[in-house]
Amino acid sequence: MEKVILYPGQTLVTQDAVEIHSIVSSCIEVVLHDPVRRITGVSIFVQPRPDGEHLIQSARYGCYSLDHVLEKMLILGADPQRMLARVYGGGTLNDSLSRTSTIGKKNIDFALAWLRHARIPVVSSELGGLRARSVFVNSIHFSVRQNRHENSSELESAYGQFSSLKKKSRVVVVENSPTTRVKLTRVLQQHDLVDVVGVAVDAFEAREMLVEHQPDLVLISSELPKISGIELLERLMKYFPLPVIMITGALAHPKVIAEALEFGAVDCIESPESIADAELDEYGDYLRSKVLSASRIADRVHRSFWNQFSPSKSAADKFNSVLSGMDVLLFGGDTGAHFELESLLSSLPKDGPAVLLALDRLPLNYLKRLVEKADLKLVEGGHLQTLSPGCTYFPPEGYCFELLSDEGVKKIGLVE
């Protein structure tokens, strides 16, 4: 049975036979099911509703997420009079720096009230408590099993580094444009686990903010006056290494992105300056996920710039163990994947599986350096080209890959 991983702030409606894996703590997972049509809908929401007065159409909020799942199930032919529900989560976490200690109870109250209003009976639930739990849902049989976690290390062993942060991520924003500064601060402050502790307009103000606030992460615009964002990043990594996300224009030259990644930025994102207010919520979800991901690797960034970081032997052995019998590996991601991409490529043997790359906004010159460093062969893929072991393929500009099989022979297809 296919496995699907669902994260907080996401929904899923399906008629396929899948096992849905998730981890819930203070958030709530509501599983709806029509046993006749075998339609299953899952919502994992983080808060009952936005803090402001306006309805934000994001699956993070129960007031939107549950209605959205129900609507999609009805479109597929589910009957609300047949529906059953299972509910999990709403735990109380001991975190004095955030509202998660009370948000769990609010999430429980909202979910149960919504189900009562929809007249959907709850056939099982496990709510509250002091522990996070893994939840595994069989979409066809509507069966659920759980694992409770004592601490964050168990969560990491279950889903890599998915475990929730223990404290707010303290962020400094360095941006010259007043419009962009306002938009960035606004969307970041909407998350319970992100706190903008300082805002600077240039590198000199940024230095004062870093010394005063000791942030977990810095957002730096590539277009700063006096000292450019790239120069500030280079100096920062030399004397005070910590996670940096570089903000670039939508039409940023690939050289700017490549330089940012080479000097140590963990990610590059597009500036929200040209984004309309109606699209800002979606951008905010994207940005906050980037910030939280970057905050989790602060220790790795620090050690890597003091040449003390290397992937664990157990992780490398586990990766190599899955290569046995494989013909093709597909690597996807964006600029935030470059740390992992470098580790993966460097772990590959020269005669290992062919690798197809799908990397958004990662400059070709930077990619070439990663592949050369791993001592692999980089090839621009052509239509109907036969894949060869030990080669790493990238698509021509304007195309993406399609994996084809011609009488058992693996080939590349190009899709415009």
mmCIF file with all atom_site columns, all heavy atoms in Angstrom, residues 369-388:
data_model
loop_
_atom_site.group_PDB
_atom_site.id
_atom_site.type_symbol
_atom_site.label_atom_id
_atom_site.label_alt_id
_atom_site.label_comp_id
_atom_site.label_asym_id
_atom_site.label_entity_id
_atom_site.label_seq_id
_atom_site.pdbx_PDB_ins_code
_atom_site.Cartn_x
_atom_site.Cartn_y
_atom_site.Cartn_z
_atom_site.occupancy
_atom_site.B_iso_or_equiv
_atom_site.pdbx_formal_charge
_atom_site.auth_seq_id
_atom_site.auth_comp_id
_atom_site.auth_asym_id
_atom_site.auth_atom_id
_atom_site.pdbx_PDB_model_num
ATOM 1   N N   . ARG A 1 369 ? 29.381 22.489 -10.073 1.00 0.00 ? 369 ARG A N   1
ATOM 2   C CA  . ARG A 1 369 ? 30.439 22.402 -9.055  1.00 0.00 ? 369 ARG A CA  1
ATOM 3   C C   . ARG A 1 369 ? 30.136 21.301 -8.037  1.00 0.00 ? 369 ARG A C   1
ATOM 4   O O   . ARG A 1 369 ? 31.045 20.602 -7.577  1.00 0.00 ? 369 ARG A O   1
ATOM 5   C CB  . ARG A 1 369 ? 30.613 23.749 -8.374  1.00 0.00 ? 369 ARG A CB  1
ATOM 6   C CG  . ARG A 1 369 ? 31.439 24.734 -9.193  1.00 0.00 ? 369 ARG A CG  1
ATOM 7   C CD  . ARG A 1 369 ? 31.833 25.949 -8.389  1.00 0.00 ? 369 ARG A CD  1
ATOM 8   N NE  . ARG A 1 369 ? 30.727 26.885 -8.266  1.00 0.00 ? 369 ARG A NE  1
ATOM 9   C CZ  . ARG A 1 369 ? 30.455 27.834 -9.154  1.00 0.00 ? 369 ARG A CZ  1
ATOM 10  N NH1 . ARG A 1 369 ? 31.205 27.960 -10.238 1.00 0.00 ? 369 ARG A NH1 1
ATOM 11  N NH2 . ARG A 1 369 ? 29.452 28.670 -8.973  1.00 0.00 ? 369 ARG A NH2 1
ATOM 12  N N   . LEU A 1 370 ? 28.856 21.153 -7.669  1.00 0.00 ? 370 LEU A N   1
ATOM 13  C CA  . LEU A 1 370 ? 28.488 20.087 -6.733  1.00 0.00 ? 370 LEU A CA  1
ATOM 14  C C   . LEU A 1 370 ? 28.785 18.716 -7.324  1.00 0.00 ? 370 LEU A C   1
ATOM 15  O O   . LEU A 1 370 ? 29.317 17.829 -6.648  1.00 0.00 ? 370 LEU A O   1
ATOM 16  C CB  . LEU A 1 370 ? 27.005 20.179 -6.385  1.00 0.00 ? 370 LEU A CB  1
ATOM 17  C CG  . LEU A 1 370 ? 26.535 21.315 -5.485  1.00 0.00 ? 370 LEU A CG  1
ATOM 18  C CD1 . LEU A 1 370 ? 25.045 21.167 -5.191  1.00 0.00 ? 370 LEU A CD1 1
ATOM 19  C CD2 . LEU A 1 370 ? 27.316 21.355 -4.179  1.00 0.00 ? 370 LEU A CD2 1
ATOM 20  N N   . VAL A 1 371 ? 28.436 18.521 -8.590  1.00 0.00 ? 371 VAL A N   1
ATOM 21  C CA  . VAL A 1 371 ? 28.632 17.228 -9.236  1.00 0.00 ? 371 VAL A CA  1
ATOM 22  C C   . VAL A 1 371 ? 30.116 16.946 -9.427  1.00 0.00 ? 371 VAL A C   1
ATOM 23  O O   . VAL A 1 371 ? 30.588 15.818 -9.222  1.00 0.00 ? 371 VAL A O   1
ATOM 24  C CB  . VAL A 1 371 ? 27.874 17.179 -10.576 1.00 0.00 ? 371 VAL A CB  1
ATOM 25  C CG1 . VAL A 1 371 ? 28.181 15.880 -11.320 1.00 0.00 ? 371 VAL A CG1 1
ATOM 26  C CG2 . VAL A 1 371 ? 26.372 17.298 -10.337 1.00 0.00 ? 371 VAL A CG2 1
ATOM 27  N N   . GLU A 1 372 ? 30.871 17.969 -9.833  1.00 0.00 ? 372 GLU A N   1
ATOM 28  C CA  . GLU A 1 372 ? 32.317 17.784 -9.997  1.00 0.00 ? 372 GLU A CA  1
ATOM 29  C C   . GLU A 1 372 ? 32.978 17.440 -8.664  1.00 0.00 ? 372 GLU A C   1
ATOM 30  O O   . GLU A 1 372 ? 33.883 16.595 -8.600  1.00 0.00 ? 372 GLU A O   1
ATOM 31  C CB  . GLU A 1 372 ? 32.934 19.055 -10.588 1.00 0.00 ? 372 GLU A CB  1
ATOM 32  C CG  . GLU A 1 372 ? 32.569 19.288 -12.055 1.00 0.00 ? 372 GLU A CG  1
ATOM 33  C CD  . GLU A 1 372 ? 33.059 20.638 -12.557 1.00 0.00 ? 372 GLU A CD  1
ATOM 34  O OE1 . GLU A 1 372 ? 33.690 21.366 -11.757 1.00 0.00 ? 372 GLU A OE1 1
ATOM 35  O OE2 . GLU A 1 372 ? 32.800 20.960 -13.730 1.00 0.00 ? 372 GLU A OE2 1
ATOM 36  N N   . LYS A 1 373 ? 32.511 18.093 -7.605  1.00 0.00 ? 373 LYS A N   1
ATOM 37  C CA  . LYS A 1 373 ? 33.059 17.821 -6.276  1.00 0.00 ? 373 LYS A CA  1
ATOM 38  C C   . LYS A 1 373 ? 32.795 16.382 -5.864  1.00 0.00 ? 373 LYS A C   1
ATOM 39  O O   . LYS A 1 373 ? 33.606 15.747 -5.186  1.00 0.00 ? 373 LYS A O   1
ATOM 40  C CB  . LYS A 1 373 ? 32.434 18.783 -5.256  1.00 0.00 ? 373 LYS A CB  1
ATOM 41  C CG  . LYS A 1 373 ? 33.030 18.701 -3.862  1.00 0.00 ? 373 LYS A CG  1
ATOM 42  C CD  . LYS A 1 373 ? 32.405 19.753 -2.962  1.00 0.00 ? 373 LYS A CD  1
ATOM 43  C CE  . LYS A 1 373 ? 32.970 19.672 -1.548  1.00 0.00 ? 373 LYS A CE  1
ATOM 44  N NZ  . LYS A 1 373 ? 32.345 20.694 -0.657  1.00 0.00 ? 373 LYS A NZ  1
ATOM 45  N N   . ALA A 1 374 ? 31.637 15.845 -6.271  1.00 0.00 ? 374 ALA A N   1
ATOM 46  C CA  . ALA A 1 374 ? 31.295 14.457 -5.963  1.00 0.00 ? 374 ALA A CA  1
ATOM 47  C C   . ALA A 1 374 ? 31.954 13.479 -6.930  1.00 0.00 ? 374 ALA A C   1
ATOM 48  O O   . ALA A 1 374 ? 31.762 12.259 -6.800  1.00 0.00 ? 374 ALA A O   1
ATOM 49  C CB  . ALA A 1 374 ? 29.778 14.278 -5.995  1.00 0.00 ? 374 ALA A CB  1
ATOM 50  N N   . ASP A 1 375 ? 32.698 14.003 -7.920  1.00 0.00 ? 375 ASP A N   1
ATOM 51  C CA  . ASP A 1 375 ? 33.406 13.185 -8.911  1.00 0.00 ? 375 ASP A CA  1
ATOM 52  C C   . ASP A 1 375 ? 32.428 12.328 -9.719  1.00 0.00 ? 375 ASP A C   1
ATOM 53  O O   . ASP A 1 375 ? 32.671 11.148 -9.977  1.00 0.00 ? 375 ASP A O   1
ATOM 54  C CB  . ASP A 1 375 ? 34.441 12.293 -8.217  1.00 0.00 ? 375 ASP A CB  1
ATOM 55  C CG  . ASP A 1 375 ? 35.515 11.792 -9.200  1.00 0.00 ? 375 ASP A CG  1
ATOM 56  O OD1 . ASP A 1 375 ? 35.642 12.413 -10.285 1.00 0.00 ? 375 ASP A OD1 1
ATOM 57  O OD2 . ASP A 1 375 ? 36.203 10.817 -8.894  1.00 0.00 ? 375 ASP A OD2 1
ATOM 58  N N   . LEU A 1 376 ? 31.316 12.944 -10.105 1.00 0.00 ? 376 LEU A N   1
ATOM 59  C CA  . LEU A 1 376 ? 30.327 12.276 -10.949 1.00 0.00 ? 376 LEU A CA  1
ATOM 60  C C   . LEU A 1 376 ? 30.282 12.955 -12.313 1.00 0.00 ? 376 LEU A C   1
ATOM 61  O O   . LEU A 1 376 ? 30.827 14.052 -12.490 1.00 0.00 ? 376 LEU A O   1
ATOM 62  C CB  . LEU A 1 376 ? 28.941 12.323 -10.293 1.00 0.00 ? 376 LEU A CB  1
ATOM 63  C CG  . LEU A 1 376 ? 28.816 11.666 -8.914  1.00 0.00 ? 376 LEU A CG  1
ATOM 64  C CD1 . LEU A 1 376 ? 27.444 11.931 -8.328  1.00 0.00 ? 376 LEU A CD1 1
ATOM 65  C CD2 . LEU A 1 376 ? 29.071 10.161 -9.007  1.00 0.00 ? 376 LEU A CD2 1
ATOM 66  N N   . LYS A 1 377 ? 29.625 12.337 -13.256 1.00 0.00 ? 377 LYS A N   1
ATOM 67  C CA  . LYS A 1 377 ? 29.519 12.874 -14.616 1.00 0.00 ? 377 LYS A CA  1
ATOM 68  C C   . LYS A 1 377 ? 28.176 13.563 -14.784 1.00 0.00 ? 377 LYS A C   1
ATOM 69  O O   . LYS A 1 377 ? 27.126 12.966 -14.601 1.00 0.00 ? 377 LYS A O   1
ATOM 70  C CB  . LYS A 1 377 ? 29.673 11.749 -15.642 1.00 0.00 ? 377 LYS A CB  1
ATOM 71  C CG  . LYS A 1 377 ? 29.656 12.225 -17.093 1.00 0.00 ? 377 LYS A CG  1
ATOM 72  C CD  . LYS A 1 377 ? 29.849 11.066 -18.052 1.00 0.00 ? 377 LYS A CD  1
ATOM 73  C CE  . LYS A 1 377 ? 29.833 11.550 -19.508 1.00 0.00 ? 377 LYS A CE  1
ATOM 74  N NZ  . LYS A 1 377 ? 29.989 10.413 -20.452 1.00 0.00 ? 377 LYS A NZ  1
ATOM 75  N N   . LEU A 1 378 ? 28.205 14.860 -15.156 1.00 0.00 ? 378 LEU A N   1
ATOM 76  C CA  . LEU A 1 378 ? 26.985 15.642 -15.352 1.00 0.00 ? 378 LEU A CA  1
ATOM 77  C C   . LEU A 1 378 ? 26.649 15.698 -16.839 1.00 0.00 ? 378 LEU A C   1
ATOM 78  O O   . LEU A 1 378 ? 27.493 16.029 -17.670 1.00 0.00 ? 378 LEU A O   1
ATOM 79  C CB  . LEU A 1 378 ? 27.164 17.059 -14.809 1.00 0.00 ? 378 LEU A CB  1
ATOM 80  C CG  . LEU A 1 378 ? 25.919 17.944 -14.818 1.00 0.00 ? 378 LEU A CG  1
ATOM 81  C CD1 . LEU A 1 378 ? 24.860 17.385 -13.877 1.00 0.00 ? 378 LEU A CD1 1
ATOM 82  C CD2 . LEU A 1 378 ? 26.274 19.379 -14.405 1.00 0.00 ? 378 LEU A CD2 1
ATOM 83  N N   . VAL A 1 379 ? 25.386 15.376 -17.175 1.00 0.00 ? 379 VAL A N   1
ATOM 84  C CA  . VAL A 1 379 ? 24.965 15.280 -18.570 1.00 0.00 ? 379 VAL A CA  1
ATOM 85  C C   . VAL A 1 379 ? 23.656 16.043 -18.751 1.00 0.00 ? 379 VAL A C   1
ATOM 86  O O   . VAL A 1 379 ? 22.733 15.894 -17.950 1.00 0.00 ? 379 VAL A O   1
ATOM 87  C CB  . VAL A 1 379 ? 24.756 13.800 -18.984 1.00 0.00 ? 379 VAL A CB  1
ATOM 88  C CG1 . VAL A 1 379 ? 24.306 13.713 -20.441 1.00 0.00 ? 379 VAL A CG1 1
ATOM 89  C CG2 . VAL A 1 379 ? 26.022 12.991 -18.757 1.00 0.00 ? 379 VAL A CG2 1
ATOM 90  N N   . GLU A 1 380 ? 23.585 16.861 -19.827 1.00 0.00 ? 380 GLU A N   1
ATOM 91  C CA  . GLU A 1 380 ? 22.313 17.484 -20.174 1.00 0.00 ? 380 GLU A CA  1
ATOM 92  C C   . GLU A 1 380 ? 21.447 16.451 -20.881 1.00 0.00 ? 380 GLU A C   1
ATOM 93  O O   . GLU A 1 380 ? 21.839 15.884 -21.898 1.00 0.00 ? 380 GLU A O   1
ATOM 94  C CB  . GLU A 1 380 ? 22.516 18.703 -21.079 1.00 0.00 ? 380 GLU A CB  1
ATOM 95  C CG  . GLU A 1 380 ? 21.202 19.401 -21.424 1.00 0.00 ? 380 GLU A CG  1
ATOM 96  C CD  . GLU A 1 380 ? 21.418 20.666 -22.238 1.00 0.00 ? 380 GLU A CD  1
ATOM 97  O OE1 . GLU A 1 380 ? 22.481 20.785 -22.893 1.00 0.00 ? 380 GLU A OE1 1
ATOM 98  O OE2 . GLU A 1 380 ? 20.528 21.533 -22.213 1.00 0.00 ? 380 GLU A OE2 1
ATOM 99  N N   . GLY A 1 381 ? 20.267 16.190 -20.337 1.00 0.00 ? 381 GLY A N   1
ATOM 100 C CA  . GLY A 1 381 ? 19.412 15.149 -20.869 1.00 0.00 ? 381 GLY A CA  1
ATOM 101 C C   . GLY A 1 381 ? 18.809 15.503 -22.213 1.00 0.00 ? 381 GLY A C   1
ATOM 102 O O   . GLY A 1 381 ? 18.425 16.642 -22.452 1.00 0.00 ? 381 GLY A O   1
ATOM 103 N N   . GLY A 1 382 ? 18.709 14.521 -23.089 1.00 0.00 ? 382 GLY A N   1
ATOM 104 C CA  . GLY A 1 382 ? 18.071 14.684 -24.388 1.00 0.00 ? 382 GLY A CA  1
ATOM 105 C C   . GLY A 1 382 ? 16.866 13.762 -24.498 1.00 0.00 ? 382 GLY A C   1
ATOM 106 O O   . GLY A 1 382 ? 16.778 12.734 -23.811 1.00 0.00 ? 382 GLY A O   1
ATOM 107 N N   . HIS A 1 383 ? 15.936 14.105 -25.367 1.00 0.00 ? 383 HIS A N   1
ATOM 108 C CA  . HIS A 1 383 ? 14.715 13.323 -25.502 1.00 0.00 ? 383 HIS A CA  1
ATOM 109 C C   . HIS A 1 383 ? 15.028 11.914 -26.005 1.00 0.00 ? 383 HIS A C   1
ATOM 110 O O   . HIS A 1 383 ? 15.788 11.723 -26.967 1.00 0.00 ? 383 HIS A O   1
ATOM 111 C CB  . HIS A 1 383 ? 13.749 14.016 -26.462 1.00 0.00 ? 383 HIS A CB  1
ATOM 112 C CG  . HIS A 1 383 ? 12.371 13.434 -26.448 1.00 0.00 ? 383 HIS A CG  1
ATOM 113 N ND1 . HIS A 1 383 ? 11.624 13.314 -25.299 1.00 0.00 ? 383 HIS A ND1 1
ATOM 114 C CD2 . HIS A 1 383 ? 11.615 12.915 -27.442 1.00 0.00 ? 383 HIS A CD2 1
ATOM 115 C CE1 . HIS A 1 383 ? 10.462 12.773 -25.585 1.00 0.00 ? 383 HIS A CE1 1
ATOM 116 N NE2 . HIS A 1 383 ? 10.437 12.502 -26.883 1.00 0.00 ? 383 HIS A NE2 1
ATOM 117 N N   . LEU A 1 384 ? 14.472 10.917 -25.319 1.00 0.00 ? 384 LEU A N   1
ATOM 118 C CA  . LEU A 1 384 ? 14.641 9.492  -25.620 1.00 0.00 ? 384 LEU A CA  1
ATOM 119 C C   . LEU A 1 384 ? 16.080 9.026  -25.437 1.00 0.00 ? 384 LEU A C   1
ATOM 120 O O   . LEU A 1 384 ? 16.501 8.012  -26.009 1.00 0.00 ? 384 LEU A O   1
ATOM 121 C CB  . LEU A 1 384 ? 14.144 9.162  -27.033 1.00 0.00 ? 384 LEU A CB  1
ATOM 122 C CG  . LEU A 1 384 ? 12.670 9.462  -27.298 1.00 0.00 ? 384 LEU A CG  1
ATOM 123 C CD1 . LEU A 1 384 ? 12.294 9.053  -28.717 1.00 0.00 ? 384 LEU A CD1 1
ATOM 124 C CD2 . LEU A 1 384 ? 11.778 8.758  -26.294 1.00 0.00 ? 384 LEU A CD2 1
ATOM 125 N N   . GLN A 1 385 ? 16.836 9.756  -24.640 1.00 0.00 ? 385 GLN A N   1
ATOM 126 C CA  . GLN A 1 385 ? 18.216 9.366  -24.343 1.00 0.00 ? 385 GLN A CA  1
ATOM 127 C C   . GLN A 1 385 ? 18.226 8.211  -23.340 1.00 0.00 ? 385 GLN A C   1
ATOM 128 O O   . GLN A 1 385 ? 17.501 8.220  -22.345 1.00 0.00 ? 385 GLN A O   1
ATOM 129 C CB  . GLN A 1 385 ? 18.981 10.559 -23.764 1.00 0.00 ? 385 GLN A CB  1
ATOM 130 C CG  . GLN A 1 385 ? 20.440 10.263 -23.434 1.00 0.00 ? 385 GLN A CG  1
ATOM 131 C CD  . GLN A 1 385 ? 21.161 11.507 -22.935 1.00 0.00 ? 385 GLN A CD  1
ATOM 132 O OE1 . GLN A 1 385 ? 20.536 12.556 -22.795 1.00 0.00 ? 385 GLN A OE1 1
ATOM 133 N NE2 . GLN A 1 385 ? 22.434 11.410 -22.678 1.00 0.00 ? 385 GLN A NE2 1
ATOM 134 N N   . THR A 1 386 ? 19.029 7.182  -23.600 1.00 0.00 ? 386 THR A N   1
ATOM 135 C CA  . THR A 1 386 ? 19.143 6.042  -22.696 1.00 0.00 ? 386 THR A CA  1
ATOM 136 C C   . THR A 1 386 ? 19.968 6.432  -21.472 1.00 0.00 ? 386 THR A C   1
ATOM 137 O O   . THR A 1 386 ? 21.030 7.059  -21.599 1.00 0.00 ? 386 THR A O   1
ATOM 138 C CB  . THR A 1 386 ? 19.809 4.854  -23.408 1.00 0.00 ? 386 THR A CB  1
ATOM 139 O OG1 . THR A 1 386 ? 19.015 4.487  -24.541 1.00 0.00 ? 386 THR A OG1 1
ATOM 140 C CG2 . THR A 1 386 ? 19.918 3.661  -22.475 1.00 0.00 ? 386 THR A CG2 1
ATOM 141 N N   . LEU A 1 387 ? 19.489 6.056  -20.297 1.00 0.00 ? 387 LEU A N   1
ATOM 142 C CA  . LEU A 1 387 ? 20.183 6.391  -19.050 1.00 0.00 ? 387 LEU A CA  1
ATOM 143 C C   . LEU A 1 387 ? 21.358 5.450  -18.827 1.00 0.00 ? 387 LEU A C   1
ATOM 144 O O   . LEU A 1 387 ? 21.261 4.248  -19.063 1.00 0.00 ? 387 LEU A O   1
ATOM 145 C CB  . LEU A 1 387 ? 19.221 6.299  -17.869 1.00 0.00 ? 387 LEU A CB  1
ATOM 146 C CG  . LEU A 1 387 ? 18.083 7.324  -17.856 1.00 0.00 ? 387 LEU A CG  1
ATOM 147 C CD1 . LEU A 1 387 ? 17.121 7.033  -16.719 1.00 0.00 ? 387 LEU A CD1 1
ATOM 148 C CD2 . LEU A 1 387 ? 18.636 8.726  -17.725 1.00 0.00 ? 387 LEU A CD2 1
ATOM 149 N N   . SER A 1 388 ? 22.459 6.024  -18.349 1.00 0.00 ? 388 SER A N   1
ATOM 150 C CA  . SER A 1 388 ? 23.669 5.244  -18.093 1.00 0.00 ? 388 SER A CA  1
ATOM 151 C C   . SER A 1 388 ? 24.040 5.333  -16.615 1.00 0.00 ? 388 SER A C   1
ATOM 152 O O   . SER A 1 388 ? 23.909 6.393  -15.999 1.00 0.00 ? 388 SER A O   1
ATOM 153 C CB  . SER A 1 388 ? 24.844 5.782  -18.927 1.00 0.00 ? 388 SER A CB  1
ATOM 154 O OG  . SER A 1 388 ? 24.548 5.706  -20.315 1.00 0.00 ? 388 SER A OG  1
#
